[in-house]
């Protein structure tokens, strides 16, 4: 579920019961000791119930999102109890995970994996109660067959980001959750070959990805105006981590791109219909079918995805240059540990073998004869 779709989902769960957006204040001002028990009413026939009253000096007029009278009244009672408890214990001690998750998404946080998380934690789960033990239980129930890397990325990481946001405002204690130790990790990278079955439209895209280390989404959104073939550079203004960068494209990849039709304006890479790719967040679906067909024709396993190319470029670049700082700059990694995770161990002669195959990543800005065959194959290396 996308982030914008999660906002009403959390609002429907995040106030201790099933309460959504609060309404406008009404009536006179009430003191902290004044109390008008929450009552529920419908505004339209057959519509959801609204809760209205004054609890702990706070005027309430909220949509319950429920059409069942008994459920709505029970929800109103829970909401009232929550407000009274918050008055006694303070917001810091009663802050719920659903509340801070809503704030996290409203301030631009990534909500890709939140549906499962919110389905696991009850709407009353407090931030102060969530610890490593609760996360291990959540992992066993929501991702029973997932790898430690997946659990770290889809559960522990998002929960940690949500809980540490209110800590910046003094509403919670800073927390550091223990990540699971990954066993092995992705060890795949590719070698170039001629690939006779690759679709013409996929050749330039794969060439840019394998020659620069671009993610698929970054490659598919390259504008012609940001490509400088005379210096073999491509400017990426929008990247996954939000840090623009300049990448270098080797002559072999440049020639493969020039060998296909290059638009004069707009996107550098076009669909078979001659249009720019429609980008979807967190998805390689734009080229997935063509890539899978290419992969199957090459005899590679289904575990080979476009992201494997993201691991290929740093392996090639470091094998040819031994330049770690430049590797981080071009690859867009902010920490050494991340760059090392992408760069794989390779044979000592890999740089020479790549150069012999025409993929010398150090050759920039010179004119190479156009290759006779304009296809690229990918060979899996374990």
């Amino acid at each position: 579920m996308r982030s914008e779709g999660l906002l009403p989902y959390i609002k429907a769960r995040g106030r201790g019961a099933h309460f959504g957006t609060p309404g406008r204040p009404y009536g006179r001002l009430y003191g902290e000791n004044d109390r008008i028990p929450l009552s529920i009413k419908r505004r339209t026939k057959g519509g959801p119930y609204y809760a209205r009253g004054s609890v702990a000096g706070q005027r309430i007029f909220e949509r319950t999102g429920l059409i069942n009278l008994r459920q709505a009244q029970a929800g109103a009672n829970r909401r009232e109890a929550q407000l009274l408890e918050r008055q006694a214990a303070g917001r810091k001690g009663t802050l719920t995970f659903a509340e801070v998750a809503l704030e996290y998404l409203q301030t631009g946080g990534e909500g890709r994996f939140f549906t499962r998380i919110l389905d696991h934690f009850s709407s009353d789960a407090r931030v102060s109660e969530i610890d490593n033990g609760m996360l291990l239980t959540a992992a066993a129930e929501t991702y029973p067959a997932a790898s430690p890397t997946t659990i770290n990325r889809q559960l522990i990481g998002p929960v940690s980001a949500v809980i540490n946001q209110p800590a910046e405002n003094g509403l919670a204690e800073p927390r550091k959750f223990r990540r699971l130790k990954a066993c092995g990790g992705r060890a795949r990278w590719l070698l170039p070959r001629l690939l006779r079955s690759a679709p013409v439209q996929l050749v330039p895209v794969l060439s840019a990805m394998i020659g620069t280390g671009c993610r698929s989404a970054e490659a598919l959104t390259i504008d012609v105006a940001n490509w400088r073939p005379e210096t073999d550079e491509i400017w990426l203004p929008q990247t996954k981590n939000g840090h623009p960068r300049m990448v270098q494209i080797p002559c072999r990849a440049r020639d493969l791109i020039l060998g296909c039709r290059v638009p004069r304006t707009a996107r550098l890479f076009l669909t078979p219909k001659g249009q720019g790719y429609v980008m979807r967040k967190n998805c390689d679906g734009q080229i997935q079918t063509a890539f899978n067909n290419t992969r199957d024709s090459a005899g590679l396993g289904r575990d080979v995805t476009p992201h494997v190319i993201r691991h290929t470029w740093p392996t090639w670049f470091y094998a040819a240059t031994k330049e770690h700082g430049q590797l981080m700059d071009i690859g867009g990694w902010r920490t050494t540990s991340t760059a090392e995770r992408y760069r794989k161990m390779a044979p000592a002669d890999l740089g020479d073998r790549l150069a012999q195959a025409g993929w010398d990543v150090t050759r920039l800005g010179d004119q190479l004869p156009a290759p006779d065959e304009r296809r690229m194959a990918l060979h899996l290396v374990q």
Side-chain angles (χ1 to χ4, degrees):
M1 186 182 295
R2 300 176 66 179
S3 298
E4 54 269 28
L6 275 171
L7 293 179
Y9 178 81
I10 298 178
K11 287 178 180 178
R13 299 170 51 90
R15 295 185 174 272
H18 295 275
F19 290 86
T21 306
R24 291 176 295 180
Y26 68 95
R28 67 181 180 87
L29 295 177
Y30 294 91
E32 292 185 1
N33 296 323
D34 290 336
R35 178 180 176 187
I36 300 178
L38 295 182
S39 60
I40 57 173
K41 293 182 179 180
R42 277 182 169 147
R43 302 183 69 179
T44 59
K45 185 177 180 180
Y49 284 96
Y50 286 74
R52 185 170 186 169
S54 178
V55 181
Q58 181 176 348
R59 293 161 295 173
I60 303 298
F61 181 33
E62 297 178 352
R63 182 178 182 272
T64 69
L66 299 170
I67 60 175
N68 181 277
L69 176 62
R70 184 172 298 179
Q71 291 179 352
Q73 186 62 62
N77 294 339
R78 293 176 59 194
R79 175 64 167 151
E80 186 172 344
Q82 182 190 52
L83 292 171
L84 292 171
E85 184 182 19
R86 175 154 294 181
Q87 182 190 36
R91 188 183 181 196
K92 185 174 182 179
T94 58
L95 195 64
T96 66
F97 181 81
E99 286 180 293
V100 295
L102 177 60
E103 181 180 347
Y104 176 78
L105 293 176
Q106 288 177 329
T107 55
E110 173 61 60
R112 182 182 180 187
F113 306 113
F114 270 77
T115 301
R116 286 193 183 186
I117 297 174
L118 291 168
D119 284 341
H120 172 79
F121 291 116
S122 69
S123 57
D124 294 326
R126 298 180 182 177
V127 169
S128 59
E129 297 173 344
I130 298 177
D131 54 18
N132 288 304
M134 290 186 66
L135 289 184
L136 289 176
T137 301
E141 295 180 0
T142 58
Y143 295 100
S147 67
T149 301
T150 299
I151 294 173
N152 289 337
R153 182 179 69 253
Q154 300 185 14
L155 175 64
I156 299 178
V159 170
S160 178
V162 166
I163 290 181
N164 280 304
Q165 177 165 291
E168 300 174 359
N169 301 324
L171 297 177
E173 297 297 330
R175 310 284 292 281
K176 184 175 182 180
F177 294 96
R178 188 178 301 110
R179 304 294 179 105
L180 301 185
K181 185 176 181 180
C183 301
R186 191 186 297 269
R188 306 172 188 86
W189 52 281
L190 309 171
L191 283 173
R193 273 188 187 176
L194 297 178
L195 184 59
R196 303 181 186 280
S197 59
V200 174
Q201 290 80 10
L202 192 60
V203 172
V205 177
L206 290 180
S207 299
M209 291 173 61
I210 203 168
T212 66
C214 290
R215 302 174 179 89
S216 59
E218 294 170 347
L220 295 177
T221 55
I222 294 175
D223 287 335
V224 175
N226 292 331
W227 180 37
R228 299 172 175 82
E230 65 278 3
T231 60
D232 292 328
E233 292 177 313
I234 296 176
W235 172 247
L236 302 178
Q238 296 180 344
T239 63
K240 181 180 178 180
N241 59 10
H243 299 285
R245 69 182 191 275
M246 183 78 77
V247 297
Q248 298 176 339
I249 182 167
C251 296
R252 172 71 169 182
R254 179 202 60 193
D255 291 341
L256 288 173
I257 295 174
L258 291 175
C260 299
R261 183 170 64 90
V262 176
R264 292 180 178 271
T265 59
R267 296 280 174 82
L268 178 61
F269 304 122
L270 303 177
T271 67
K273 296 182 179 181
Q275 301 173 347
Y277 287 89
V278 177
M279 302 309 300
R280 303 179 185 89
K281 195 171 184 180
N282 300 313
C283 182
D284 291 323
Q286 300 86 349
I287 62 171
Q288 192 68 58
T289 300
F291 183 89
N292 289 347
N293 293 335
T294 300
R295 175 199 64 197
D296 295 342
S297 299
L300 302 178
R302 293 188 177 183
D303 55 344
V304 177
T305 66
H307 193 65
V308 173
I309 299 179
R310 176 70 171 159
H311 291 254
T312 297
W313 175 83
T315 305
W316 287 18
F317 185 85
Y318 189 80
T321 66
K322 300 298 188 293
E323 288 285 345
H324 192 274
Q326 197 174 10
L327 172 76
M328 293 182 61
D329 291 340
I330 300 177
W333 295 293
R334 311 298 292 180
T335 63
T336 300
S337 60
T338 304
E340 289 297 322
R341 180 164 55 86
Y342 277 84
R343 180 185 68 87
K344 310 304 179 185
M345 297 298 296
D349 64 343
L350 176 61
D352 295 334
R353 291 165 59 190
L354 292 172
Q356 293 174 4
W359 281 96
D360 185 351
V361 297
T362 65
R363 297 186 66 175
L364 305 171
D366 59 351
Q367 296 295 325
L368 296 178
D372 295 332
E373 300 176 71
R374 301 183 185 279
R375 296 290 185 271
M376 182 181 71
L378 307 177
H379 173 62
L380 184 65
V381 175
Q382 294 287 359

